[in-house]
Amino acid sequence: MIGLLMWAGKDYPAWNENAWDWAWGWVQGIAGWVAQICGGLGRVFDHSGGLSLGQRLGFFATILLLFYFYWRATRAWLAYKPGPVDVQQLTDSTPPLGKNKPSIEDLTAEFRRQLSESSMYAPTTLPAEAPPMSFLELLGDVEIDPKKLGTVLPRLLSRLRPKLAYRVSGVLRFRDEGPDYYGMTVTVMAFVFGGSRALTVWGKDWDEVIRKAGYCVISSLLPVTRAGRQPPWRQWWGRELNPALYASYQRANEFSRAGHYHEALAQYYEAIRLDPVNPCLRVELAEVQEKMDMHIDALDTCQRALTLDGQTANKYDKRLWQSGWNLHWRRFRYLRHPRKYRDVLGLRYRNTIILGISEKTAQQWYERSGANGEDTHEDLIPILVDRYWPVAIELANIDPLSQEQAEHPDNEEKAREWIEAVLSRTRPPEGKDRSTPDRHLSRIRLAFQKAATQETERLAADDLWARIAGLYAPERVWILMRLFWPFSYVQSVRVPLQPVTRGAFQVNRKVWAPLRLTWATECFDNCRPSRNRTDAKELRKQINTARGRIPLFPVWRRRDWLTLYNSACVYAVAMMKEATSKRLSDQLARCAVTTLEKAVLVSKGRFASVEQAWLINEDPDLALLQKHRYFKRFRDTAYPSPEVSKKIAPSNIEQMRAYDYRLLEETAKVMQEVWLRRSKEEGFDIHEATEWLRVERDIWKRIHEVAAADHIWRWRYRVDLIRSVQISSYPVLCGTAGFPPSVLADEAPDGHPAFEKIDELLKSVMKDTEGPRAPDSRSLQWQQFLSQTTATRETSLSPTTFHDLSSGYAATWQTLRDWLAGEPKDQNGEQSFLNAVQRFPEP
């Protein structure tokens, strides 16, 4: 500071002389202040210093108070951080279990790995670390010698700073009552708060027990540590977190990363059931639904969660349609609730994307392809009408659906009637006028596109006001501080305060939304009668204006991943116009690929996993670009691994039917192995065999439902089938890889049939698994027979009966597997399956 002042005044002699005097006086003042402190300390320890006994006692009392505050602050910070957690070796209290006797070392290592994966603390354990003592014990343990202050003070300070805040211990247990025989009592001890918490979990094997115990420990630490301040657990800070909620969320994330989207949906729904007002869970659920091409269900998820930031639906609708830059108090609502604003920001952005991809959303809306069919639409129509009726004011005037609407004097009532009629109309029956569906579909698309444009405008405006108010300033300060942080291993749990960047907002508001709105308007205009069409020159002017803005944003000054990715999407969207020439299309494709290459270079965090699946195959904005030769070259260079470049996504009916085919094929493979192993046993308890048959019957019923073509969007049927197979095949499935198959599976081998053959096979499976001689009917007969046998006090099946039963099921599953995996031209597979079903032994 002094040198800077001297350099600044080197050209001004008079001012330079005054500056020297001021700087020298400042240095003398600091030196004198330090000398007084050192002199006072010397007088305290000098017997002839002239200080009274009261002054010396006051000095030592002040020092002890400062040490106490330092000791408490370091303990509190270590508990909040948290630091390393002492995971002690597990204690075995189980009786002799033979081959199922647990290995204490292996289970302890697995338990520590399970806890370290939570990223709440450094993945280290301190089994030999002594627990912290009380403040008086620490002081009493240090011998204070005034003549050796150079060694006493560092020792005292090192002892005052604790190294351990939590200790985790567990006791392995066993019980005779099933179905969960294995258990563990886990204890979490907090040295800072002076308390402990003990929980007991049970499972069907030791792996499940360890996983549940890890969830219990982490759910106990989250509400009192720094990780609990981050979404999605911010609302649980200082409260008791349900371990089932954390377990469902973690399982959903694991399934989503592995491509098991159907199971991920079930876990997300379970987590939302336990925490219905958490917007972060809804965002992730909507993302998975969008990846599964369930745009209507994703729209329903977002629309129902837009008001989870504490405001009513009426207030949200009023803020949405405010115009201009007037400083109304509603504009600053999110500034008064910054955390709620940030929690819902990602959800609002996802809502604009789903509405903005109007060609897919409108098509699925028109086809009523939601997971719950008509129920989803009937529940969602009132919400959309109340929220987006202003988009229909102009549309109701230029395109009235009836004469009564055209003569209605009230614009609001007319707009509400128009948009409700448009959203309520279903697909006409076959044989009707084919121009009507196209015209009506264009109405739905334009309404959704106008709603997306308005949501994008409001979202960008709210973000601008938040930046003006300094809402993101703390995050910028933290990032700046980390630039000067010493080089060390840091496992941070901080997440960005803003899930969407300012550059991404600007790209969507100024280019993406207007471009899509212009094309939706043109499609709507082309479907209207020629006498009512808009001037073609005006539409062409709007398209050229929107395209003219495109080159501005690839050179956006923000070089973050999302801004560059949205810019590439704008180029790809511009290629979707039918009137685009080949030369212009190649130019746009080249610009899009160049921008994607820049985005790949700056990808960080969770975006790195998004690129491989979403960018390569799933994003609807890149649908036309993905077929271009430039994009294929980019895919082969950016992601050269053939396993990655050939991933497929459930973006249409063909791919979902292909997944159903692979699911049934893997089910037949697993169940064949299960019944082959059972057939080699001498006999089983009749009650256990009855339970097997009950699950077997449920599996065949689920196979019939999954194979039905009209149930393609009923994802719960697939989840029920997977769970039934997992229950029936335990523990065989533990050593069988490939089940359940991933939705993001590699391309099928050359021997697998094409889509036409797959659809034909699944329809045949559906037909052959219904009726009185279907496998589920035979399972019901055997189940009833065993129930009657139980009434006669029989406790076991004869080896011959059980062998015939197991062999019959093994043969049925084997023929089903051979039929599905056979050559497309093979006509004997279905007949072999029917023969195996007909020859199945009767009870």
Side-chain angles (χ1 to χ4, degrees):
M1 177 68 70
I2 298 175
L4 182 62
L5 291 174
M6 297 298 99
W7 178 83
K10 63 182 184 298
D11 296 329
Y12 303 94
W15 187 86
N16 196 7
E17 183 178 354
N18 295 333
W20 270 109
D21 295 339
W22 174 83
W24 181 247
W26 187 64
V27 172
Q28 286 182 331
I30 295 178
W33 181 64
V34 173
Q36 291 179 3
I37 294 177
C38 295
L41 291 175
R43 294 178 61 188
V44 169
F45 294 98
D46 188 5
H47 296 287
S48 61
L51 295 181
S52 62
L53 179 61
Q55 290 175 331
R56 296 178 186 272
L57 291 178
F59 171 79
F60 284 110
T62 303
I63 293 298
L64 288 177
L65 186 63
L66 292 177
F67 280 150
Y68 175 76
F69 284 146
Y70 172 77
W71 176 71
R72 291 289 299 180
T74 53
R75 294 185 68 187
W77 169 248
L78 189 64
Y80 175 75
K81 190 178 180 181
V85 177
D86 178 16
V87 182
Q88 294 187 320
Q89 186 168 344
L90 301 179
T91 303
D92 186 12
S93 64
T94 61
L97 300 177
K99 63 179 181 180
N100 294 327
K101 186 68 174 178
S103 173
I104 302 302
E105 292 76 11
D106 293 344
L107 292 182
T108 302
E110 180 64 21
F111 187 44
R112 290 173 177 173
R113 185 197 65 81
Q114 184 78 20
L115 295 179
S116 65
E117 285 185 352
S118 64
S119 300
M120 290 178 54
Y121 50 86
T124 57
T125 55
L126 302 174
E129 184 70 26
M133 297 181 290
S134 65
F135 181 69
L136 295 180
E137 290 175 340
L138 287 173
L139 293 180
D141 191 55
V142 178
E143 297 180 0
I144 301 179
D145 188 356
K147 298 181 180 180
K148 300 180 180 179
L149 291 180
T151 58
V152 172
L153 289 178
R155 181 184 179 188
L156 177 61
L157 292 176
S158 64
R159 296 295 299 273
L160 287 176
R161 187 178 185 275
K163 302 179 180 60
L164 196 63
Y166 301 100
R167 170 167 290 173
V168 179
S169 58
V171 178
L172 302 180
R173 302 174 60 183
F174 180 83
R175 62 183 180 183
D176 296 329
E177 297 82 7
D180 297 333
Y181 298 97
Y182 308 98
M184 182 171 121
T185 298
V186 58
T187 303
V188 182
M189 181 179 297
F191 296 113
V192 176
F193 309 108
S196 62
R197 183 180 183 183
L199 295 171
T200 301
V201 295
W202 298 94
K204 61 180 180 294
D205 55 19
W206 291 116
D207 292 336
E208 183 179 356
V209 169
I210 292 297
R211 184 175 64 253
K212 289 183 177 180
Y215 292 154
C216 290
V217 172
I218 298 173
S219 62
S220 300
L221 298 180
L222 268 176
V224 294
T225 56
R226 180 174 52 180
R229 292 287 191 180
Q230 308 298 333
W233 312 115
R234 184 176 292 148
Q235 299 178 1
W236 291 92
W237 171 257
R239 300 166 55 192
E240 184 176 356
L241 178 61
N242 188 354
L245 171 60
Y246 180 80
S248 299
Y249 178 75
Q250 286 296 106
R251 297 280 290 172
N253 275 270
E254 293 174 2
F255 286 136
S256 180
R257 289 192 298 267
H260 299 162
Y261 293 147
H262 300 88
E263 296 170 276
L265 283 180
Q267 295 296 331
Y268 274 124
Y269 276 115
E270 178 65 18
I272 292 176
R273 185 187 66 83
L274 298 173
D275 189 6
V277 295
N278 195 326
C280 300
L281 299 180
R282 308 252 180 169
V283 174
E284 299 187 23
L285 172 62
E287 291 178 352
V288 175
Q289 289 172 330
E290 193 174 2
K291 290 180 179 180
M292 295 182 64
D293 205 32
M294 300 167 57
H295 294 278
I296 301 302
D297 297 273
L299 179 63
D300 182 64
T301 300
C302 294
Q303 288 292 321
R304 296 179 185 276
L306 290 176
T307 58
L308 289 181
D309 57 349
Q311 62 179 328
T312 62
N314 187 31
K315 290 182 178 179
Y316 179 87
D317 299 342
K318 288 182 178 180
R319 290 191 71 260
L320 178 62
W321 296 103
Q322 286 177 1
S323 59
W325 289 91
N326 58 317
L327 299 180
H328 195 277
W329 63 270
R330 288 194 185 96
R331 289 198 178 278
F332 299 94
R333 184 199 176 276
Y334 287 117
L335 305 184
R336 293 186 287 112
H337 305 279
R339 289 185 176 179
K340 293 181 178 180
Y341 166 75
R342 292 193 293 266
D343 289 344
V344 186
L345 186 64
L347 187 69
R348 295 175 64 193
Y349 179 78
R350 182 55 47 194
N351 180 59
T352 61
I353 298 300
I354 297 171
L355 287 171
I357 309 173
S358 57
E359 65 276 5
K360 279 185 169 290
T361 307
Q363 183 68 34
Q364 292 190 4
W365 183 276
Y366 189 59
E367 295 174 352
R368 296 295 194 264
S369 60
N372 296 323
E374 292 287 343
D375 295 338
T376 303
H377 295 75
E378 294 301 326
D379 295 339
L380 194 54
I381 285 176
I383 299 176
L384 297 178
V385 171
D386 292 339
R387 183 162 294 160
Y388 300 122
W389 65 264
V391 305
I393 293 179
E394 180 183 357
L395 299 177
N397 292 327
I398 64 176
D399 184 37
L401 301 179
S402 63
Q403 186 64 27
E404 292 77 7
Q405 280 190 1
E407 299 175 355
H408 204 291
D410 188 358
N411 284 335
E412 178 178 348
E413 190 65 25
K414 183 192 301 184
R416 285 179 175 272
E417 292 179 0
W418 188 91
I419 193 172
E420 184 175 2
V422 168
L423 296 178
S424 301
R425 184 174 297 182
T426 58
R427 171 182 288 184
E430 296 293 337
K432 295 292 184 180
D433 183 16
R434 300 184 63 86
S435 62
T436 303
D438 295 338
R439 188 186 310 169
H440 186 67
L441 189 60
S442 66
R443 295 189 183 107
I444 301 176
R445 179 181 178 184
L446 184 57
F448 282 156
Q449 201 67 61
K450 282 181 170 289
T453 302
Q454 184 63 28
E455 289 277 10
T456 304
E457 290 283 347
R458 178 60 52 234
L459 195 55
D462 289 342
D463 178 73
L464 179 59
W465 285 112
R467 289 178 177 277
I468 293 176
L471 187 62
Y472 306 119
E475 180 69 16
R476 293 181 177 274
V477 173
W478 172 257
I479 294 175
L480 184 62
M481 292 176 58
R482 290 298 298 269
L483 294 177
F484 303 99
W485 201 263
F487 293 100
S488 61
Y489 175 75
V490 178
Q491 192 174 14
S492 177
V493 298
R494 293 184 62 89
V495 298
L497 294 179
Q498 186 189 19
V500 187
T501 60
R502 178 65 178 168
F505 281 134
Q506 290 300 316
V507 171
N508 287 4
R509 183 178 70 87
K510 293 186 177 181
V511 185
W512 183 79
L515 191 60
R516 279 189 166 274
L517 178 59
T518 303
W519 289 344
T521 305
E522 186 179 15
C523 293
F524 171 75
D525 191 71
N526 292 336
C527 294
R528 297 167 61 200
S530 58
R531 62 180 181 275
N532 296 330
R533 291 186 182 180
T534 311
D535 186 7
K537 293 183 178 180
E538 182 65 24
L539 280 174
R540 181 57 55 187
K541 181 179 179 181
Q542 295 178 8
I543 294 176
N544 292 334
T545 302
R547 280 181 175 168
R549 298 177 180 176
I550 293 177
L552 297 178
F553 290 93
V555 292
W556 189 264
R557 61 188 181 88
R558 286 184 172 274
R559 310 303 296 177
D560 59 273
W561 185 89
L562 194 56
T563 301
L564 292 170
Y565 184 75
N566 286 6
S567 301
C569 289
V570 168
Y571 284 118
V573 169
M575 297 173 57
M576 293 184 181
K577 186 67 182 67
E578 295 179 358
T580 304
S581 63
K582 186 178 185 305
R583 179 179 179 183
L584 180 58
S585 178
D586 292 343
Q587 182 181 359
L588 292 172
R590 185 182 296 107
C591 295
V593 169
T594 302
T595 311
L596 284 177
E597 290 174 347
K598 296 178 181 179
V600 170
L601 295 177
V602 298
S603 63
K604 294 181 179 179
R606 63 187 182 93
F607 292 123
S609 60
V610 172
E611 298 167 5
Q612 297 183 2
W614 184 254
L615 185 151
I616 295 299
N617 286 300
E618 300 177 16
D619 194 343
D621 284 333
L622 305 178
L624 193 58
L625 177 65
Q626 291 165 358
K627 302 176 182 179
H628 202 278
R629 64 180 187 278
Y630 291 154
F631 183 83
K632 295 179 180 179
R633 185 176 59 188
F634 158 76
R635 180 193 62 189
D636 296 337
T637 55
Y639 308 104
S641 175
E643 289 79 9
V644 175
S645 62
K646 293 184 179 180
K647 295 287 185 181
I648 62 173
S651 57
N652 50 46
I653 296 177
E654 290 83 358
Q655 291 170 346
M656 291 304 297
R657 294 293 275 176
Y659 175 75
D660 292 338
Y661 168 80
R662 289 186 287 110
L663 178 60
L664 297 188
E665 187 180 15
E666 292 297 330
T667 298
K669 176 182 177 181
V670 172
M671 294 307 300
Q672 177 191 356
E673 180 66 23
V674 169
W675 284 107
L676 282 177
R677 294 195 181 188
R678 290 172 180 174
S679 65
K680 297 177 181 178
E681 301 291 338
E682 297 181 357
F684 276 91
D685 182 79
I686 196 169
H687 299 282
E688 188 175 8
T690 304
E691 179 64 20
W692 288 348
L693 292 172
R694 185 192 65 80
V695 179
E696 182 75 15
R697 179 192 175 200
D698 185 68
I699 291 175
W700 285 108
K701 290 174 59 179
R702 301 306 177 191
I703 287 179
H704 178 77
E705 293 170 344
V706 170
D710 55 342
H711 292 166
I712 189 171
W713 302 114
R714 303 297 177 90
W715 59 271
R716 290 190 181 275
Y717 293 156
R718 302 183 182 95
V719 174
D720 293 339
L721 173 60
I722 292 172
R723 289 180 176 176
S724 298
V725 174
Q726 290 173 341
I727 293 174
S728 179
S729 60
Y730 178 82
V732 176
L733 192 59
C734 299
T736 304
F739 188 88
S742 173
V743 177
L744 298 178
D746 299 337
E747 289 185 340
D750 296 336
H752 280 213
F755 166 71
E756 293 79 8
K757 183 61 177 179
I758 287 177
D759 191 59
E760 180 181 350
L761 279 173
L762 294 180
K763 290 181 180 179
S764 300
V765 170
M766 180 193 67
K767 180 186 66 175
D768 296 340
T769 53
E770 62 183 0
R773 299 185 65 85
D776 63 320
S777 300
R778 291 299 179 89
S779 301
L780 178 60
Q781 295 176 5
W782 273 96
Q783 186 179 354
Q784 294 173 349
F785 168 74
L786 293 183
S787 299
Q788 296 174 1
T789 307
T790 305
T792 62
R793 298 185 179 181
E794 291 288 341
T795 59
S796 62
L797 289 174
S798 64
T800 304
T801 303
F802 186 79
H803 178 76
D804 293 341
L805 178 65
S806 302
S807 300
Y809 273 118
T812 304
W813 285 113
Q814 181 180 1
T815 54
L816 177 61
R817 178 186 177 186
D818 295 339
W819 177 24
L820 294 175
E823 294 293 334
K825 297 182 180 180
D826 186 10
Q827 303 295 333
N828 299 325
E830 182 178 7
Q831 189 61 42
S832 300
F833 173 72
L834 292 176
N835 293 337
V837 173
Q838 293 175 0
R839 297 172 183 173
F840 195 86
E842 295 183 357

